[in-house]
């Protein structure tokens, strides 16, 4: 079974409290574009990430979350001057580095939450059953591209009835595999 492979560029998830500090009391996120995962969207709002060496503007993804989380590529982390940024699954922020977030109305210093997102495949329980997989399985995925076909190992399977079938890789991984435009992958044994 083939599935879409999408590039997840650097972005941030914020709490309601952080959103209001950065953009003002009562501020609500503005949906710019729905994403492939149901209920998730890219926002009009952007935040400046301030690291030891540089800063980068990133989009907020909505809706708000219970914890602030910044998802970068290794290239982004180096640009910001951040060292020892771990590869983590979304939501696993304990022990990760922090940085300063700057918005139009204020700034927030997060103590943790910066990570390189572990590549993963979102799937429904029906998708997982059809592929003989379960939540948290780790698989390899072959991606066929023009001149840079690649097998991505260490890919986590994430199963939920709230998901739509899609694999997510970061911009460094997409560049390495020339995974531009509409690209599909399939699990290899």
């Amino acid at each position: 079974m083939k599935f879409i492979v999408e590039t997840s560029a650097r972005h941030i998830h914020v709490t309601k409290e952080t959103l209001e500090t950065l953009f003002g009391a009562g501020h609500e996120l503005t949906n710019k574009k729905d994403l492939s995962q149901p209920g998730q969207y890219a926002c009009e709002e952007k935040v400046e990430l301030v690291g030891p060496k540089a800063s980068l503007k990133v989009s907020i993804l909505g809706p708000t979350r219970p914890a602030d989380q910044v998802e970068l590529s290794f290239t982004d982390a180096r640009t910001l001057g951040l060292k020892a940024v771990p590869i983590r699954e979304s939501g696993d922020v304990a022990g990760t580095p922090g940085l300063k977030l700057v918005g139009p109305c204020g700034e927030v210093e997060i103590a943790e939450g910066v990570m390189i997102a572990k590549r993963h495949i979102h799937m429904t329980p029906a998708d997982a059953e059809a592929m003989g997989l379960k939540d948290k399985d780790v698989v390899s995925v072959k991606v066929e591209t023009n001149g840079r076909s690649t097998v991505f190992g260490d890919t986590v399977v994430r199963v939920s009835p709230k998901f739509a079938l899609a694999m997510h890789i970061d911009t460094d991984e997409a560049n390495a595999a020339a995974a531009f435009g509409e690209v599909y992958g399939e699990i290899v044994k």
Side-chain angles (χ1 to χ4, degrees):
M1 178 186 292
K2 291 193 176 195
F3 42 83
I4 192 84
V5 177
E6 300 173 324
T7 303
S8 181
R10 61 182 173 240
H11 62 272
I12 184 170
H13 302 280
V14 295
T15 64
K16 181 69 173 156
E17 179 182 67
T18 296
L19 177 67
E20 290 189 350
T21 300
L22 297 173
F23 290 90
H27 189 85
E28 297 289 332
L29 290 171
T30 309
N31 183 335
K32 178 180 177 181
K33 175 185 169 191
D34 288 333
L35 301 175
S36 66
Q37 295 308 302
Q40 304 295 305
Y41 52 93
C43 300
E44 294 287 348
E45 292 82 1
K46 292 184 183 286
V47 171
E48 184 177 5
L49 308 177
V50 180
K53 282 179 34 182
S55 64
L56 292 170
K57 282 263 193 186
V58 299
S59 293
I60 296 176
L61 297 189
T64 56
R65 295 241 180 133
D68 296 313
Q69 179 175 299
V70 178
E71 296 183 32
L72 303 171
S73 69
F74 279 114
T75 299
D76 296 330
R78 278 193 294 280
T79 298
L80 289 166
L82 300 173
K83 296 181 178 166
V85 177
I87 300 170
R88 294 283 182 87
E89 285 188 59
S90 183
D92 183 9
V93 299
T96 59
L99 51 62
K100 187 189 323 184
L101 312 175
V102 178
C105 295
E107 55 186 56
V108 174
E109 188 81 35
I110 60 171
E112 62 184 12
V114 180
M115 68 176 64
I116 311 301
K118 188 166 184 67
R119 57 183 162 253
H120 56 279
I121 308 168
H122 292 279
M123 59 180 68
T124 65
D127 295 326
E129 185 177 344
M131 291 187 230
L133 298 169
K134 62 186 182 318
D135 192 47
K136 303 297 183 193
D137 278 351
V138 177
V139 298
S140 293
V141 177
K142 184 175 184 180
V143 177
E144 298 274 349
T145 59
N146 188 10
R148 290 197 123 179
S149 294
T150 304
V151 174
F152 288 108
D154 302 316
T155 304
V156 176
V157 173
R158 300 183 57 204
V159 180
S160 169
K162 296 179 182 178
F163 291 156
L165 184 59
M167 179 175 173
H168 289 160
I169 58 177
D170 70 25
T171 52
D172 287 349
E173 293 165 322
N175 288 337
F180 311 122
E182 193 168 299
V183 176
Y184 290 86
E186 64 183 320
I187 294 171
V188 292
K189 303 290 179 190

mmCIF file of all heavy atoms in Angstrom, residues 130-153:
data_model
loop_
_atom_site.group_PDB
_atom_site.id
_atom_site.type_symbol
_atom_site.label_atom_id
_atom_site.label_comp_id
_atom_site.label_asym_id
_atom_site.label_seq_id
_atom_site.Cartn_x
_atom_site.Cartn_y
_atom_site.Cartn_z
ATOM 1 N N ALA A 130 -4.781 -3.177 7.844
ATOM 2 C CA ALA A 130 -4.548 -3.594 6.457
ATOM 3 C C ALA A 130 -3.059 -3.830 6.173
ATOM 4 O O ALA A 130 -2.708 -4.669 5.345
ATOM 5 C CB ALA A 130 -5.105 -2.544 5.491
ATOM 6 N N MET A 131 -2.183 -3.101 6.885
ATOM 7 C CA MET A 131 -0.740 -3.239 6.681
ATOM 8 C C MET A 131 -0.088 -4.154 7.702
ATOM 9 O O MET A 131 1.135 -4.344 7.679
ATOM 10 C CB MET A 131 -0.086 -1.851 6.726
ATOM 11 C CG MET A 131 -0.439 -0.972 5.562
ATOM 12 S SD MET A 131 0.534 0.553 5.603
ATOM 13 C CE MET A 131 -0.724 1.773 5.393
ATOM 14 N N GLY A 132 -0.886 -4.691 8.626
ATOM 15 C CA GLY A 132 -0.326 -5.577 9.647
ATOM 16 C C GLY A 132 0.556 -4.852 10.648
ATOM 17 O O GLY A 132 1.544 -5.405 11.137
ATOM 18 N N LEU A 133 0.182 -3.620 10.974
ATOM 19 C CA LEU A 133 0.979 -2.793 11.874
ATOM 20 C C LEU A 133 0.167 -2.386 13.092
ATOM 21 O O LEU A 133 -1.056 -2.489 13.097
ATOM 22 C CB LEU A 133 1.461 -1.539 11.139
ATOM 23 C CG LEU A 133 2.364 -1.782 9.937
ATOM 24 C CD1 LEU A 133 2.545 -0.504 9.142
ATOM 25 C CD2 LEU A 133 3.708 -2.344 10.382
ATOM 26 N N LYS A 134 0.888 -1.872 14.110
ATOM 27 C CA LYS A 134 0.220 -1.319 15.284
ATOM 28 C C LYS A 134 0.944 -0.043 15.709
ATOM 29 O O LYS A 134 2.063 0.234 15.263
ATOM 30 C CB LYS A 134 0.171 -2.340 16.417
ATOM 31 C CG LYS A 134 1.501 -2.785 16.939
ATOM 32 C CD LYS A 134 1.330 -3.901 17.968
ATOM 33 C CE LYS A 134 2.622 -4.367 18.569
ATOM 34 N NZ LYS A 134 3.751 -4.531 17.698
ATOM 35 N N ASP A 135 0.295 0.715 16.580
ATOM 36 C CA ASP A 135 0.856 1.966 17.074
ATOM 37 C C ASP A 135 2.238 1.735 17.675
ATOM 38 O O ASP A 135 2.446 0.764 18.400
ATOM 39 C CB ASP A 135 -0.089 2.567 18.125
ATOM 40 C CG ASP A 135 0.265 3.990 18.491
ATOM 41 O OD1 ASP A 135 0.496 4.790 17.564
ATOM 42 O OD2 ASP A 135 0.290 4.303 19.693
ATOM 43 N N LYS A 136 3.169 2.602 17.351
ATOM 44 C CA LYS A 136 4.550 2.618 17.847
ATOM 45 C C LYS A 136 5.466 1.602 17.151
ATOM 46 O O LYS A 136 6.641 1.504 17.507
ATOM 47 C CB LYS A 136 4.637 2.425 19.363
ATOM 48 C CG LYS A 136 3.848 3.443 20.160
ATOM 49 C CD LYS A 136 4.360 4.838 19.964
ATOM 50 C CE LYS A 136 3.593 5.808 20.848
ATOM 51 N NZ LYS A 136 3.822 7.181 20.516
ATOM 52 N N ASP A 137 4.947 0.825 16.172
ATOM 53 C CA ASP A 137 5.855 -0.003 15.379
ATOM 54 C C ASP A 137 6.861 0.913 14.691
ATOM 55 O O ASP A 137 6.566 2.089 14.417
ATOM 56 C CB ASP A 137 5.094 -0.792 14.304
ATOM 57 C CG ASP A 137 4.445 -2.059 14.827
ATOM 58 O OD1 ASP A 137 4.718 -2.443 15.992
ATOM 59 O OD2 ASP A 137 3.660 -2.676 14.072
ATOM 60 N N VAL A 138 8.039 0.399 14.421
ATOM 61 C CA VAL A 138 9.068 1.142 13.704
ATOM 62 C C VAL A 138 9.342 0.397 12.401
ATOM 63 O O VAL A 138 9.624 -0.813 12.420
ATOM 64 C CB VAL A 138 10.349 1.283 14.548
ATOM 65 C CG1 VAL A 138 11.441 2.008 13.762
ATOM 66 C CG2 VAL A 138 10.050 2.029 15.850
ATOM 67 N N VAL A 139 9.230 1.114 11.281
ATOM 68 C CA VAL A 139 9.331 0.501 9.959
ATOM 69 C C VAL A 139 10.325 1.262 9.085
ATOM 70 O O VAL A 139 10.797 2.340 9.455
ATOM 71 C CB VAL A 139 7.950 0.473 9.264
ATOM 72 C CG1 VAL A 139 6.956 -0.360 10.065
ATOM 73 C CG2 VAL A 139 7.409 1.880 9.042
ATOM 74 N N SER A 140 10.610 0.689 7.902
ATOM 75 C CA SER A 140 11.383 1.374 6.871
ATOM 76 C C SER A 140 10.455 1.678 5.709
ATOM 77 O O SER A 140 9.570 0.873 5.380
ATOM 78 C CB SER A 140 12.541 0.490 6.396
ATOM 79 O OG SER A 140 13.477 0.318 7.429
ATOM 80 N N VAL A 141 10.656 2.826 5.099
ATOM 81 C CA VAL A 141 9.786 3.283 4.015
ATOM 82 C C VAL A 141 10.639 3.633 2.801
ATOM 83 O O VAL A 141 11.555 4.454 2.894
ATOM 84 C CB VAL A 141 8.962 4.515 4.453
ATOM 85 C CG1 VAL A 141 8.107 5.029 3.295
ATOM 86 C CG2 VAL A 141 8.094 4.180 5.661
ATOM 87 N N LYS A 142 10.319 3.019 1.673
ATOM 88 C CA LYS A 142 11.010 3.332 0.418
ATOM 89 C C LYS A 142 10.263 4.460 -0.275
ATOM 90 O O LYS A 142 9.041 4.411 -0.440
ATOM 91 C CB LYS A 142 11.060 2.106 -0.486
ATOM 92 C CG LYS A 142 11.839 2.350 -1.763
ATOM 93 C CD LYS A 142 11.965 1.084 -2.583
ATOM 94 C CE LYS A 142 12.838 1.350 -3.799
ATOM 95 N NZ LYS A 142 12.980 0.153 -4.621
ATOM 96 N N VAL A 143 11.022 5.484 -0.670
ATOM 97 C CA VAL A 143 10.466 6.637 -1.370
ATOM 98 C C VAL A 143 11.153 6.705 -2.729
ATOM 99 O O VAL A 143 12.382 6.830 -2.801
ATOM 100 C CB VAL A 143 10.699 7.940 -0.566
ATOM 101 C CG1 VAL A 143 10.195 9.139 -1.336
ATOM 102 C CG2 VAL A 143 10.029 7.855 0.794
ATOM 103 N N GLU A 144 10.371 6.590 -3.795
ATOM 104 C CA GLU A 144 10.895 6.636 -5.165
ATOM 105 C C GLU A 144 10.843 8.073 -5.670
ATOM 106 O O GLU A 144 9.766 8.664 -5.746
ATOM 107 C CB GLU A 144 10.042 5.751 -6.089
ATOM 108 C CG GLU A 144 10.043 4.287 -5.735
ATOM 109 C CD GLU A 144 11.206 3.515 -6.339
ATOM 110 O OE1 GLU A 144 11.913 4.056 -7.217
ATOM 111 O OE2 GLU A 144 11.413 2.370 -5.909
ATOM 112 N N THR A 145 12.016 8.628 -5.971
ATOM 113 C CA THR A 145 12.085 9.976 -6.541
ATOM 114 C C THR A 145 13.009 9.929 -7.750
ATOM 115 O O THR A 145 13.682 8.931 -7.994
ATOM 116 C CB THR A 145 12.618 10.987 -5.511
ATOM 117 O OG1 THR A 145 13.916 10.576 -5.084
ATOM 118 C CG2 THR A 145 11.687 11.114 -4.321
ATOM 119 N N ASN A 146 13.057 11.004 -8.474
ATOM 120 C CA ASN A 146 13.865 11.074 -9.688
ATOM 121 C C ASN A 146 15.338 11.263 -9.335
ATOM 122 O O ASN A 146 15.784 12.378 -9.072
ATOM 123 C CB ASN A 146 13.370 12.223 -10.573
ATOM 124 C CG ASN A 146 14.046 12.228 -11.926
ATOM 125 O OD1 ASN A 146 14.747 11.281 -12.292
ATOM 126 N ND2 ASN A 146 13.826 13.279 -12.690
ATOM 127 N N GLY A 147 16.083 10.164 -9.297
ATOM 128 C CA GLY A 147 17.519 10.230 -9.076
ATOM 129 C C GLY A 147 17.972 10.138 -7.637
ATOM 130 O O GLY A 147 19.170 10.089 -7.368
ATOM 131 N N ARG A 148 17.055 10.130 -6.668
ATOM 132 C CA ARG A 148 17.461 10.070 -5.263
ATOM 133 C C ARG A 148 16.541 9.190 -4.431
ATOM 134 O O ARG A 148 16.222 9.507 -3.292
ATOM 135 C CB ARG A 148 17.509 11.471 -4.669
ATOM 136 C CG ARG A 148 18.648 12.303 -5.224
ATOM 137 C CD ARG A 148 18.907 13.458 -4.345
ATOM 138 N NE ARG A 148 20.291 13.416 -3.927
ATOM 139 C CZ ARG A 148 20.837 14.323 -3.154
ATOM 140 N NH1 ARG A 148 20.117 15.319 -2.697
ATOM 141 N NH2 ARG A 148 22.090 14.240 -2.819
ATOM 142 N N SER A 149 16.093 8.088 -5.001
ATOM 143 C CA SER A 149 15.233 7.176 -4.245
ATOM 144 C C SER A 149 15.937 6.793 -2.951
ATOM 145 O O SER A 149 17.153 6.614 -2.918
ATOM 146 C CB SER A 149 14.916 5.944 -5.073
ATOM 147 O OG SER A 149 14.136 6.312 -6.189
ATOM 148 N N THR A 150 15.156 6.693 -1.888
ATOM 149 C CA THR A 150 15.714 6.533 -0.549
ATOM 150 C C THR A 150 14.854 5.575 0.266
ATOM 151 O O THR A 150 13.646 5.514 0.077
ATOM 152 C CB THR A 150 15.715 7.910 0.173
ATOM 153 O OG1 THR A 150 16.440 8.838 -0.629
ATOM 154 C CG2 THR A 150 16.330 7.831 1.553
ATOM 155 N N VAL A 151 15.506 4.858 1.187
ATOM 156 C CA VAL A 151 14.764 4.097 2.190
ATOM 157 C C VAL A 151 14.982 4.793 3.528
ATOM 158 O O VAL A 151 16.119 4.932 3.982
ATOM 159 C CB VAL A 151 15.220 2.623 2.258
ATOM 160 C CG1 VAL A 151 14.516 1.911 3.410
ATOM 161 C CG2 VAL A 151 14.955 1.913 0.940
ATOM 162 N N PHE A 152 13.892 5.261 4.117
ATOM 163 C CA PHE A 152 13.941 5.898 5.427
ATOM 164 C C PHE A 152 13.677 4.832 6.487
ATOM 165 O O PHE A 152 12.570 4.301 6.573
ATOM 166 C CB PHE A 152 12.877 6.997 5.555
ATOM 167 C CG PHE A 152 13.160 8.235 4.750
ATOM 168 C CD1 PHE A 152 12.415 8.529 3.625
ATOM 169 C CD2 PHE A 152 14.168 9.100 5.138
ATOM 170 C CE1 PHE A 152 12.670 9.679 2.888
ATOM 171 C CE2 PHE A 152 14.427 10.253 4.410
ATOM 172 C CZ PHE A 152 13.685 10.539 3.284
ATOM 173 N N GLY A 153 14.688 4.519 7.289
ATOM 174 C CA GLY A 153 14.507 3.606 8.409
ATOM 175 C C GLY A 153 13.990 4.368 9.613
ATOM 176 O O GLY A 153 13.759 5.585 9.550
#
